[in-house]
Coordinates of all heavy atoms in Angstrom, one line a residue:
T227 N 41.8 -7.2 -23.3 CA 41.3 -7.7 -22.1 C 39.8 -7.2 -21.9 O 39.5 -6.1 -22.3 CB 42.1 -7.3 -20.9 OG1 42.1 -5.9 -20.8 CG2 43.5 -7.9 -21.0
T228 N 39.0 -8.0 -21.3 CA 37.7 -7.6 -21.0 C 37.6 -6.8 -19.7 O 38.3 -7.1 -18.7 CB 36.8 -8.9 -20.8 OG1 36.9 -9.7 -21.9 CG2 35.3 -8.5 -20.6
P229 N 37.0 -5.6 -19.7 CA 36.9 -4.8 -18.5 C 36.2 -5.5 -17.4 O 35.2 -6.2 -17.7 CB 36.2 -3.5 -19.0 CG 35.5 -3.8 -20.3 CD 36.2 -5.0 -20.9
A230 N 36.6 -5.2 -16.2 CA 35.9 -5.8 -15.0 C 34.5 -5.2 -14.9 O 34.3 -4.0 -15.2 CB 36.7 -5.5 -13.8
P231 N 33.5 -6.0 -14.5 CA 32.2 -5.5 -14.4 C 32.1 -4.4 -13.3 O 32.8 -4.5 -12.3 CB 31.3 -6.8 -14.0 CG 32.3 -7.8 -13.6 CD 33.6 -7.4 -14.2
V232 N 31.2 -3.5 -13.5 CA 31.1 -2.4 -12.6 C 30.1 -2.9 -11.5 O 29.0 -3.4 -11.8 CB 30.5 -1.2 -13.3 CG1 30.2 -0.1 -12.3 CG2 31.4 -0.7 -14.3
P233 N 30.4 -2.8 -10.2 CA 29.5 -3.2 -9.2 C 28.2 -2.3 -9.2 O 28.3 -1.1 -9.5 CB 30.3 -3.0 -7.9 CG 31.7 -2.8 -8.3 CD 31.7 -2.4 -9.7
T234 N 27.1 -2.9 -9.0 CA 25.8 -2.2 -9.0 C 25.1 -2.5 -7.7 O 25.4 -3.4 -7.0 CB 25.0 -2.6 -10.2 OG1 24.7 -4.0 -10.1 CG2 25.6 -2.3 -11.5
R235 N 24.1 -1.7 -7.4 CA 23.2 -1.9 -6.3 C 21.8 -1.5 -6.7 O 21.6 -0.7 -7.6 CB 23.6 -1.1 -5.1 CG 23.5 0.4 -5.3 CD 23.9 1.1 -4.0 NE 23.8 2.5 -4.2 CZ 23.9 3.4 -3.3 NH1 24.1 3.0 -2.0 NH2 23.7 4.7 -3.5
K236 N 20.8 -2.1 -6.1 CA 19.4 -1.9 -6.4 C 18.9 -0.7 -5.5 O 19.2 -0.6 -4.3 CB 18.5 -3.1 -6.1 CG 18.8 -4.3 -6.9 CD 18.3 -4.2 -8.3 CE 18.5 -5.5 -9.0 NZ 18.5 -5.4 -10.4
E237 N 18.2 0.2 -6.1 CA 17.6 1.4 -5.5 C 16.1 1.3 -5.6 O 15.6 0.8 -6.6 CB 18.1 2.7 -6.1 CG 19.6 3.0 -5.8 CD 19.9 3.4 -4.4 OE1 19.0 4.0 -3.8 OE2 21.0 3.1 -3.9
I238 N 15.4 1.7 -4.6 CA 13.9 1.8 -4.6 C 13.6 3.3 -4.6 O 14.0 4.0 -3.7 CB 13.3 1.0 -3.5 CG1 13.6 -0.4 -3.6 CG2 11.8 1.3 -3.4 CD1 13.2 -1.3 -2.4
Q239 N 12.7 3.7 -5.5 CA 12.3 5.1 -5.6 C 10.8 5.1 -5.6 O 10.1 4.5 -6.3 CB 12.8 5.7 -6.9 CG 12.4 7.1 -7.1 CD 12.9 7.7 -8.4 OE1 12.9 7.0 -9.4 NE2 13.2 8.9 -8.4
I240 N 10.3 5.9 -4.6 CA 8.8 6.1 -4.5 C 8.4 7.0 -5.7 O 9.0 8.0 -6.0 CB 8.5 6.9 -3.2 CG1 8.9 6.0 -2.0 CG2 7.0 7.2 -3.2 CD1 8.8 6.7 -0.7
T241 N 7.4 6.5 -6.5 CA 7.0 7.1 -7.7 C 5.6 7.7 -7.7 O 5.1 8.1 -8.7 CB 7.1 6.1 -8.9 OG1 6.3 5.0 -8.6 CG2 8.5 5.6 -9.1
G242 N 5.0 7.7 -6.6 CA 3.6 8.2 -6.5 C 3.1 8.5 -5.1 O 3.9 8.4 -4.2
I243 N 1.9 8.8 -5.0 CA 1.3 9.2 -3.7 C 0.8 7.9 -3.0 O 0.2 7.1 -3.7 CB 0.1 10.2 -3.9 CG1 0.7 11.5 -4.5 CG2 -0.6 10.4 -2.6 CD1 -0.4 12.4 -4.9
R244 N 1.1 7.8 -1.7 CA 0.6 6.6 -0.9 C -0.9 6.6 -1.0 O -1.6 7.7 -0.8 CB 1.1 6.7 0.5 CG 0.7 5.6 1.3 CD 1.3 5.7 2.7 NE 2.7 5.5 2.6 CZ 3.6 6.1 3.4 NH1 3.2 7.0 4.3 NH2 4.9 5.9 3.3
K245 N -1.5 5.5 -1.1 CA -3.0 5.3 -1.2 C -3.4 4.5 0.0 O -2.8 3.5 0.3 CB -3.4 4.7 -2.5 CG -3.0 5.5 -3.7 CD -3.4 4.9 -5.0 CE -2.9 5.7 -6.1 NZ -3.0 5.1 -7.4
H246 N -4.6 4.9 0.5 CA -5.2 4.2 1.7 C -6.5 3.7 1.3 O -7.3 4.4 0.7 CB -5.3 5.1 2.9 CG -4.0 5.7 3.3 ND1 -3.1 5.2 4.2 CD2 -3.3 6.9 2.8 CE1 -2.1 5.9 4.3 NE2 -2.2 7.0 3.5
V247 N -6.8 2.4 1.7 CA -8.1 1.8 1.5 C -8.5 0.9 2.6 O -7.6 0.3 3.3 CB -8.1 1.0 0.1 CG1 -7.2 -0.2 0.1 CG2 -9.5 0.6 -0.3
A248 N -9.7 0.7 2.9 CA -10.2 -0.2 3.9 C -11.2 -1.2 3.3 O -11.8 -1.0 2.3 CB -11.0 0.5 5.0
E249 N -11.2 -2.4 3.9 CA -12.1 -3.5 3.4 C -12.8 -4.1 4.6 O -12.1 -4.4 5.6 CB -11.3 -4.5 2.6 CG -12.1 -5.7 2.1 CD -11.2 -6.8 1.5 OE1 -10.0 -6.6 1.4 OE2 -11.9 -7.7 1.0
C250 N -14.0 -4.4 4.4 CA -14.8 -5.1 5.5 C -14.5 -6.6 5.3 O -14.8 -7.2 4.2 CB -16.3 -4.8 5.4 SG -17.2 -5.7 6.6
V251 N -14.0 -7.3 6.3 CA -13.8 -8.7 6.3 C -14.7 -9.5 7.2 O -14.4 -10.6 7.6 CB -12.3 -9.0 6.5 CG1 -11.4 -8.5 5.4 CG2 -11.8 -8.5 7.9
T252 N -15.8 -8.9 7.6 CA -16.7 -9.5 8.5 C -17.3 -10.7 7.8 O -17.8 -10.6 6.6 CB -17.9 -8.6 8.9 OG1 -17.3 -7.4 9.5 CG2 -18.8 -9.2 9.9
E253 N -17.4 -11.9 8.4 CA -18.0 -13.1 7.8 C -19.5 -13.1 7.9 O -20.0 -12.9 8.9 CB -17.4 -14.4 8.4 CG -16.0 -14.7 7.8 CD -15.6 -16.2 8.1 OE1 -16.5 -17.0 8.2 OE2 -14.4 -16.4 8.2
I254 N -20.1 -13.4 6.7 CA -21.6 -13.5 6.7 C -21.9 -14.8 6.0 O -21.5 -15.0 4.8 CB -22.2 -12.3 5.9 CG1 -21.7 -11.0 6.4 CG2 -23.7 -12.4 5.8 CD1 -21.8 -9.8 5.5
D255 N -22.4 -15.7 6.7 CA -22.7 -17.1 6.1 C -21.5 -17.7 5.5 O -21.5 -18.3 4.4 CB -23.9 -17.0 5.1 CG -25.2 -16.4 5.7 OD1 -25.4 -16.7 6.9 OD2 -25.9 -15.7 5.0
G256 N -20.3 -17.6 6.1 CA -19.1 -18.2 5.7 C -18.4 -17.5 4.6 O -17.4 -17.9 4.1
T257 N -18.8 -16.3 4.2 CA -18.2 -15.5 3.2 C -17.9 -14.1 3.7 O -18.7 -13.5 4.4 CB -19.1 -15.4 1.9 OG1 -19.5 -16.7 1.5 CG2 -18.4 -14.7 0.8
E258 N -16.7 -13.5 3.4 CA -16.4 -12.2 3.8 C -17.3 -11.2 3.1 O -17.7 -11.4 1.9 CB -15.0 -11.9 3.5 CG -14.0 -12.6 4.4 CD -12.6 -12.1 4.1 OE1 -12.3 -11.3 3.2 OE2 -11.7 -12.6 4.9
C259 N -17.7 -10.1 3.8 CA -18.5 -9.0 3.2 C -17.8 -8.5 1.9 O -18.4 -8.4 0.9 CB -18.7 -7.9 4.2 SG -19.4 -6.4 3.5
G260 N -16.5 -8.1 2.1 CA -15.8 -7.7 0.9 C -16.0 -6.2 0.5 O -15.4 -5.8 -0.6
A261 N -16.8 -5.5 1.2 CA -17.0 -4.1 0.8 C -15.7 -3.3 0.9 O -14.9 -3.5 1.9 CB -18.1 -3.4 1.7

Side-chain angles (χ1 to χ4, degrees):
T227 60
T228 305
V232 176
T234 60
R235 65 181 183 169
K236 299 284 186 198
E237 291 285 331
I238 296 175
Q239 180 181 33
I240 298 169
T241 59
I243 296 172
R244 182 177 291 146
K245 297 176 182 171
H246 302 270
V247 66
E249 178 183 2
C250 178
V251 295
T252 303
E253 280 198 27
I254 306 160
D255 300 326
T257 307
E258 287 184 357
C259 169

